[in-house]
Amino acid sequence: PIEDATGKLSMPMVNYYRSFGVFGRSANVLAALPYGVGTFEGRVLEQERSIYRSGLFDSVLRVSVNLVGGPAMPLPEMRQWRQGTLLGASLKVVAPTGQYDPTKLINLGSNRWTFKPELGFSRAFAGHWVVDAYASVWFFTENPEFFSNNPDLNTGTQAQTQDPIGAVEVHFSYDVRPRFWVSLDGNFWYGGKTSLNGKENAATLQKNSRVGVTASVPITRHQSLKVSYAQGAYIRFGGDYKIFSAAWQYAWI
């Protein structure tokens, strides 16, 4: 039992993004490699405990393609294009490349594969407004060594599984001018009960919602700064935290 748990985590991340055409449709691929540095504190059996972690998180690869709207086009045509209705699909894969020690309960890596198929809808209206909506499902493989062989607790080898998590997400954006936009963000997800050695823990059902705001501001013709803030709106299990992030973006085109 862990009580009054808190954590402070910094996560610099390197992203690579490339767009291309597939059978006349616009598509893109994103690869991300995050690194984490942070401390976690809490009371374990009425004793104050703290740990420090520094290492790689799991790496991410996502492939997306537009199914309706947004055809692949050369740059001169793209400059003249105006958004209408878009429908797209993507697949995100999270690979177990992060730092993981099976004898420890808190790790930066998950020691399992994660797959997230997703459908996305976007429509521009009233000049500067855009609504984006997404529906997705997270699928998880088994972690064959979850908190296993701890010498102090004699945990033995333990396998953890997790049920799929369904999620929906909505963004209302306003384009102030090209490359300068602000959005209100919200999501809701449900599922994710975990089982340890085949025994389900019903208390781990997640039924949560988060809200936030994001802004992207151009700095030069090729550079922009994106900042965002989000916090829990409805929390049943997990997800009760605040996030502030800042990203510097450089575009070659």
Side-chain angles (χ1 to χ4, degrees), residues 112 160-163 192-196 199-202 204-206:
R112 65 181 182 183
Q160 185 191 65
T161 58
Q162 186 169 11
D163 291 345
K193 284 189 291 187
T194 61
S195 298
L196 191 63
K199 184 177 181 180
E200 185 180 86
N201 183 355
T204 59
L205 174 67
Q206 300 183 44

Side-chain angles (χ1 to χ4, degrees), residues 19-97:
S19 59
F20 52 94
V22 177
F23 301 112
R25 313 307 306 172
S26 59
N28 64 74
V29 61
L30 170 71
L33 183 64
Y35 190 92
V37 179
T39 57
F40 302 85
E41 300 175 342
R43 287 190 294 117
V44 182
L45 300 177
E46 303 304 324
Q47 293 185 3
E48 298 291 336
R49 301 288 295 272
S50 66
I51 62 163
Y52 170 80
R53 293 287 185 268
S54 175
L56 289 175
F57 275 93
D58 292 341
S59 53
V60 177
L61 178 68
R62 187 195 70 201
V63 179
S64 306
V65 60
N66 274 330
L67 305 175
V68 176
M73 63 188 80
L75 187 60
E77 293 182 22
M78 189 181 298
R79 290 195 179 106
Q80 303 302 319
W81 178 77
R82 294 295 179 267
Q83 179 181 333
T85 299
L86 301 176
L87 179 66
S90 69
L91 175 65
K92 177 185 288 186
V93 179
V94 183
T97 57

Side-chain angles (χ1 to χ4, degrees), residues 7-189:
K8 293 183 179 180
L9 189 67
S10 298
M11 189 178 66
M13 180 186 302
V14 177
N15 288 336
Y16 175 76
Y17 174 92
R18 183 174 179 83
S19 59
F20 52 94
V22 177
F23 301 112
R25 313 307 306 172
S26 59
N28 64 74
V29 61
L30 170 71
L33 183 64
Y35 190 92
V37 179
T39 57
F40 302 85
E41 300 175 342
R43 287 190 294 117
V44 182
L45 300 177
E46 303 304 324
Q47 293 185 3
E48 298 291 336
R49 301 288 295 272
S50 66
I51 62 163
Y52 170 80
R53 293 287 185 268
S54 175
L56 289 175
F57 275 93
D58 292 341
S59 53
V60 177
L61 178 68
R62 187 195 70 201
V63 179
S64 306
V65 60
N66 274 330
L67 305 175
V68 176
M73 63 188 80
L75 187 60
E77 293 182 22
M78 189 181 298
R79 290 195 179 106
Q80 303 302 319
W81 178 77
R82 294 295 179 267
Q83 179 181 333
T85 299
L86 301 176
L87 179 66
S90 69
L91 175 65
K92 177 185 288 186
V93 179
V94 183
T97 57
Q99 182 189 85
Y100 189 82
D101 183 344
T103 65
K104 301 184 184 302
L105 182 61
I106 297 178
N107 287 282
L108 300 181
S110 62
N111 197 38
R112 65 181 182 183
W113 288 84
T114 302
F115 303 91
K116 180 192 179 188
E118 184 173 48
L119 283 176
F121 170 85
S122 180
R123 180 172 177 81
F125 63 96
H128 294 272
W129 290 93
V130 178
V131 59
D132 300 306
Y134 306 88
S136 62
V137 182
W138 293 86
F139 296 97
F140 311 96
T141 63
E142 180 187 76
N143 179 352
E145 292 185 290
F146 174 79
F147 197 31
S148 299
N149 302 313
N150 184 283
D152 298 323
L153 300 177
N154 298 317
T155 52
T157 301
Q158 304 185 114
Q160 185 191 65
T161 58
Q162 186 169 11
D163 291 345
I165 298 176
V168 292
E169 183 175 338
V170 178
H171 304 268
F172 289 100
S173 306
Y174 183 80
D175 293 327
V176 180
R177 64 173 188 269
R179 299 170 51 231
F180 181 9
W181 53 267
V182 179
S183 73
L184 296 176
D185 318 307
N187 65 12
F188 176 81
W189 69 96

